Amino acid sequence: DPHEEPLLKPNVKYVANMHGNEAVGRELMLQLIPYLLNNYRTDPYVRSLLDNTRIHIMPSMNPDGFESSVEGQCTGGQGRENLVVLLNELFLRVTGADCWP
């Protein structure tokens, strides 16, 4: 409950797979989630981390691009874009940056 959390509790957000054809970060996040859950009771570091930090994990920011990418294809851009636009360019639009035409 956010109303019961300390005001200055650190927040961390892990965002992976912004480009759908770059899947390593996605797989790392998918492995991190069960690691944290499975080690909460036995690892004092993991327990302290989870008790004192709010952690948000988004394994795939671009699931459409991930689905359209081709496993083993290390060149080219298939899967890089979302259905419409590169997601890092979308940040410029959302934040209202002056450099977007």
Side-chain angles (χ1 to χ4, degrees):
D1 183 8
H3 302 291
E4 294 179 16
E5 295 289 347
L7 211 69
L8 298 176
K9 184 174 186 177
N11 282 261
V12 177
K13 182 192 294 183
Y14 293 102
V15 179
N17 201 211
M18 180 179 282
H19 299 131
N21 63 348
E22 298 169 357
V24 173
R26 176 184 183 274
E27 294 304 315
L28 288 171
M29 293 302 103
L30 291 174
Q31 294 297 314
L32 177 62
I33 295 167
Y35 176 83
L36 294 173
L37 293 173
N38 293 332
N39 290 290
Y40 179 78
R41 291 192 171 136
T42 58
D43 186 331
Y45 180 78
V46 171
R47 179 183 287 266
S48 176
L49 181 68
L50 293 176
D51 286 347
N52 297 298
T53 309
R54 182 175 291 140
I55 300 175
H56 310 268
I57 300 175
M58 181 186 288
S60 184
M61 187 171 183
N62 187 355
D64 297 328
F66 177 76
E67 285 299 315
S68 71
S69 63
V70 177
E71 184 177 350
Q73 182 182 21
C74 298
T75 58
Q78 184 172 350
R80 188 168 176 82
E81 293 185 359
N82 196 344
L83 291 178
V84 179
V85 66
L86 284 170
L87 292 175
N88 53 342
E89 294 174 4
L90 181 62
F91 286 136
L92 297 173
R93 292 183 188 179
V94 171
T95 60
D98 293 333
C99 59
W100 193 263

